[in-house]
């Protein structure tokens, strides 16, 4: 494949000739792929920083397309362990407990909701994971084929908010667990410990993130098995009967929305973790490994959280512990009385599981930031990793004591954007591009050849309207959501309505756009 030098700043697929002083000449093949050695080429400040990073095996690549000859990671099982570790964490355990503490559901109805909603929620994550080996593009860059070169920046803003926001919420939860073990550990110290560990892993990039996730799920899984054994031995499980009527329907829908939002939340990162897989990797195997890596930890931890949560109904010590220290208190009620200091050690390990949960957030955050403009792409990925870490720590430290609930409610409120994203992207892929053969990879960085993005943005607004009509959140209950469930609480239909409004409107809008612009 021939190579060429790019002198034109505006048309350079990497945009790296801008920023950090003098111009450099990136080497780019005709498909826009950038060989790894080109990042350190030249005498610019950028090249010097990249050479320094290369000495320590820090990943130098950002959103630039990975050449086919550099997609050499054959370990498909590491795709599974990536997501296995990211979800074998205390955050997903907490999702299951919400069925009892927030939605007042029974055991069997909650169990079935967790199973079937997760089966649906993770399907888009698995599907978009198959794009990484085929195209060598990060998920946000791939999204240009759906939203266009400029409109995708709006999608990137939502993804940045999600990465920063959920990292903040997660690290607060981890700090609370550490504080539950030792009251002498202040919240800010726990936040800094977890954030620093996450930064070290994500600083080195793709290979180290995968290597860390490959092993980190094992101690967490063992400890969750200990939680399961100790809880079963305690005899405090309560098979809460299933409710009936309108109130039950509303609670099921709202809990289902919570489960769906957590499981499908990885969609906007999916291709980021398969871009170094060989181009001829089986899409079926990529899909299957990703599916296994998601469904097993999500169902296991959420169902375990649900089971332990049932004890709050008839066991005052569990209810008091949850009221005082949230999910950390609930786990402490299971582990501390029978296990003593070893139980405290187990809780510390679960607190540190937040590192595995936040690694995808912070690693993928950098690509959304680089998509925002040529100048942001000219800042190396690992520098954005450091800046992102500082930002979410700056949010989490005051949030620990002052506005944790506000932050979490805000993140739940904006979470509907994922259903809108999926509705537009899947519709474009299947109806307009008619599968993988409809992508011209040579134009991924050409604004005048990519879709204009007008149809996608108008459909995105229709999706927001659908979400508002169907949502049932603490801050707002939509008119459709309010018609189901207990008055004042409703039942959450935001995700299906957001998807439907976006997908259906996009069909008509995109048809007109293609006729008008021809692209």
């Amino acid at each position: 494949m021939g190579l060429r030098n790019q002198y034109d700043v505006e048309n350079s697929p990497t945009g790296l000739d801008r920023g950090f002083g003098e111009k450099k000449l990136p080497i780019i093949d005709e498909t826009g792929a950038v060989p790894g050695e080109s990042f350190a080429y030249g005498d610019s400040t950028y090249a010097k920083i990249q050479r320094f990073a290369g000495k320590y095996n820090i990943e130098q690549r950002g959103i630039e397309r990975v050449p086919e000859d550099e997609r050499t990671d054959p370990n498909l099982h590491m795709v599974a362990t990536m997501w296995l570790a990211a979800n074998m964490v205390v955050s997903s355990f907490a999702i299951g407990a919400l069925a009892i503490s927030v939605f007042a559901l029974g055991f069997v109805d909650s169990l079935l909701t967790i199973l079937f909603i997760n089966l649906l929620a993770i399907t888009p994550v698995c599907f978009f994971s198959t794009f990484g080996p085929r195209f060598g593009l990060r998920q946000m860059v791939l999204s240009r084929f759906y939203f266009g070169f400029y409109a995708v920046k709006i999608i990137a803003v939502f993804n940045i908010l999600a990465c920063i926001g959920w990292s903040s919420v997660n690290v607060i939860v981890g700090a609370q667990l550490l504080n539950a073990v030792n009251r002498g550990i202040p919240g800010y110290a726990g936040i800094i410990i977890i954030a620093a560990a996450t930064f070290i892993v994500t600083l080195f990039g793709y290979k180290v993130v995968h290597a860390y996730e490959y092993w980190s799920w094992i101690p967490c899984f063992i400890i969750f098995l200990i939680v399961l054994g100790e809880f079963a031995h305690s005899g405090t499980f309560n098979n809460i009967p299933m409710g009936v009527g309108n109130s039950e329907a509303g609670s099921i829908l709202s809990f289902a929305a919570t489960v769906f939002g957590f499981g499908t939340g990885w969609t906007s990162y999916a291709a980021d973790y398969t871009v170094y897989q060989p181009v001829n990797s089986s899409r079926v195997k990529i899909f299957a490994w990703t599916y296994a890596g998601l469904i097993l930890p999500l169902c296991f931890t959420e169902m375990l959280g649900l089971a332990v949560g049932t004890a709050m109904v008839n066991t005052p010590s569990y209810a008091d512990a949850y009221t005082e220290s949230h999910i950390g208190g609930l786990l402490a009620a299971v582990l501390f009385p029978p296990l003593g200091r070893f139980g405290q050690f187990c809780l510390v390990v679960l607190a540190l599981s937040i590192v595995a949960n936040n690694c995808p957030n912070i690693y993928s955050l950098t690509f959304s930031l680089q998509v925002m403009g040529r100048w942001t792409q000219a800042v190396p990925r690992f520098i954005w990793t450091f800046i992102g870490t500082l930002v979410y720590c700056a949010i989490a430290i005051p949030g620990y004591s002052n506005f944790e609930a506000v932050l979490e409610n805000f993140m739940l409120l904006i979470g509907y954007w994922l259903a809108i994203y999926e509705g537009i992207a899947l519709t474009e892929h299947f109806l307009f591009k008619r599968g993988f053969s409809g992508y011209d990879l040579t134009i991924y960085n050409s604004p005048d050849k990519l879709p204009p993005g007008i149809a996608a943005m108008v459909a995105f607004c229709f999706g927001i309207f659908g979400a508002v009509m169907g949502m049932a959140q603490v801050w707002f209950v939509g008119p459709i959501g309010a018609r189901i469930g207990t008055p004042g609480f409703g039942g959450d239909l935001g995700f299906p309505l957001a998807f439907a409004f976006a997908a259906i409107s996009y069909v008509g809008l995109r048809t007109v756009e293609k006729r008008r612009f021809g692209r």
Side-chain angles (χ1 to χ4, degrees):
M1 189 173 288
L3 298 177
R4 60 186 171 88
N5 285 331
Q6 285 279 7
Y7 289 83
D8 188 289
V9 172
E10 196 58 35
N11 292 325
S12 166
T14 63
L16 297 181
D17 3 346
R18 285 187 178 185
F20 291 97
E22 318 87 56
K23 285 188 177 182
K24 68 185 291 293
L25 304 176
I27 302 174
I28 305 148
D29 68 27
E30 52 260 18
T31 67
V34 181
E37 65 270 15
S38 70
F39 294 104
Y41 173 74
D43 295 321
S44 66
T45 305
Y46 176 90
K48 293 176 182 177
I49 293 173
Q50 290 283 26
R51 281 198 293 272
F52 177 80
K55 290 179 181 178
Y56 297 95
N57 294 318
I58 294 173
E59 184 186 11
Q60 298 161 307
R61 185 179 302 279
I63 60 172
E64 299 79 26
R65 185 172 180 237
V66 182
E68 290 187 12
D69 61 359
E70 292 186 30
R71 295 177 223 164
T72 57
D73 180 5
N75 300 309
L76 294 181
H77 62 280
M78 293 189 74
V79 177
T81 55
M82 170 71 209
W83 301 114
L84 182 63
N87 293 282
M88 188 70 71
V89 294
V90 72
S91 301
S92 50
F93 177 90
I95 294 292
L98 293 177
I100 309 301
S101 63
V102 173
F103 301 107
L105 291 168
F107 178 71
V108 174
D109 46 344
S110 300
L111 197 76
L112 294 174
T113 301
I114 289 170
L115 174 61
F116 289 109
I117 295 300
N118 274 315
L119 289 173
L120 175 65
I122 65 174
T123 301
V125 188
C126 304
F127 178 69
F128 285 113
S129 292
T130 66
F131 285 66
R134 182 71 177 268
F135 298 149
L137 292 173
R138 309 288 187 172
Q139 189 68 39
M140 280 296 107
V141 181
L142 175 67
S143 301
R144 290 174 176 171
F145 287 100
Y146 316 129
F147 294 89
F149 187 87
Y150 297 107
V152 80
K153 300 177 194 297
I154 298 174
I155 303 303
V157 168
F158 277 93
N159 205 37
I160 290 167
L161 290 174
C163 292
I164 292 291
W166 283 119
S167 293
S168 302
V169 171
N170 292 339
V171 81
I172 288 172
V173 171
Q176 288 172 340
L177 291 181
L178 293 176
N179 183 256
V181 174
N182 185 346
R183 297 297 180 184
I185 301 177
Y188 72 84
I191 289 169
I192 292 172
I193 290 169
I194 296 170
T198 305
F199 169 70
I200 291 170
V201 175
T202 54
L203 170 68
F204 288 92
Y206 183 95
K207 290 183 179 179
V208 175
V209 169
H210 271 281
Y212 178 80
E213 305 284 46
Y214 185 79
W215 299 105
S216 67
W217 66 273
I218 298 174
C220 295
F221 179 58
I222 292 171
I223 290 171
F224 278 129
L225 288 178
I226 293 172
V227 171
L228 174 61
E230 290 297 339
F231 180 70
H233 186 262
S234 71
T236 54
F237 170 73
N238 183 9
N239 188 6
I240 303 171
M242 183 186 305
V244 295
N246 196 39
S247 178
E248 169 75 2
S251 295
I252 285 288
L253 287 172
S254 295
F255 180 55
T258 302
V259 173
F260 182 89
F262 189 87
T264 208
W266 306 113
T267 300
S268 57
Y269 312 164
D272 297 351
Y273 300 96
T274 55
V275 290
Y276 288 100
Q277 298 289 332
V279 67
N280 60 354
S281 298
S282 166
R283 292 202 296 271
V284 173
K285 290 182 179 179
I286 291 284
F287 188 99
W289 278 110
T290 307
Y291 208 93
L294 285 163
I295 197 65
L296 295 176
L298 284 172
C299 285
F300 173 66
T301 55
E302 289 175 8
M303 290 177 180
L304 180 59
L306 164 66
V308 175
T310 62
M312 291 188 285
V313 176
N314 292 331
T315 309
S317 61
Y318 279 71
D320 293 343
Y322 186 82
T323 300
E324 181 181 352
S325 302
H326 303 288
I327 203 67
L330 189 62
L331 285 164
V334 177
L335 295 172
F336 287 5
L339 300 178
R341 288 192 175 277
F342 180 70
Q344 294 178 343
F345 169 78
C346 291
L347 206 57
V348 169
V349 174
L350 289 180
L352 295 177
S353 74
I354 296 297
V355 174
N357 195 211
N358 269 358
C359 277
N361 291 331
I362 300 306
Y363 181 68
S364 292
L365 165 69
T366 60
F367 308 127
S368 293
L369 287 165
Q370 288 192 327
V371 162
M372 296 302 296
R374 303 283 187 185
W375 72 271
T376 59
Q377 188 180 352
V379 178
R381 177 202 63 81
F382 44 87
I383 292 180
W384 281 125
T385 300
F386 178 67
I387 294 172
T389 300
L390 293 181
V391 171
Y392 85 79
C393 284
I395 295 171
I397 289 173
Y400 182 90
S401 303
N402 300 318
F403 55 87
E404 178 198 357
V406 172
L407 178 62
E408 188 166 354
N409 288 332
F410 174 74
M411 295 310 303
L412 292 171
L413 191 66
I414 70 168
Y416 299 104
W417 81 274
L418 287 161
I420 303 172
Y421 175 88
E422 292 165 359
I424 294 171
L426 293 173
T427 302
E428 174 69 24
H429 176 81
F430 288 108
L431 292 186
F432 294 98
K433 288 192 167 44
R434 299 186 181 279
F436 288 88
S437 61
Y439 293 80
D440 180 1
L441 295 180
T442 63
I443 68 169
Y444 83 91
N445 208 64
S446 302
D448 58 337
K449 296 179 181 178
L450 289 164
I454 299 171
M457 281 298 95
V458 175
F460 196 89
C461 292
F462 274 102
I464 292 174
F465 177 75
V468 170
M469 294 293 288
M471 70 173 55
Q473 294 291 334
V474 172
W475 291 346
F476 181 79
V477 179
I480 296 178
R483 299 181 69 85
I484 307 168
T486 305
F489 294 95
D492 201 321
L493 288 168
F495 279 103
L497 288 180
F499 182 95
F501 275 54
I504 293 171
S505 62
Y506 185 72
V507 172
L509 292 164
R510 180 68 173 132
T511 301
V512 173
E513 183 181 64
K514 288 199 74 171
R515 288 176 181 172
R516 172 65 178 82
F517 295 96
R519 53 188 172 97

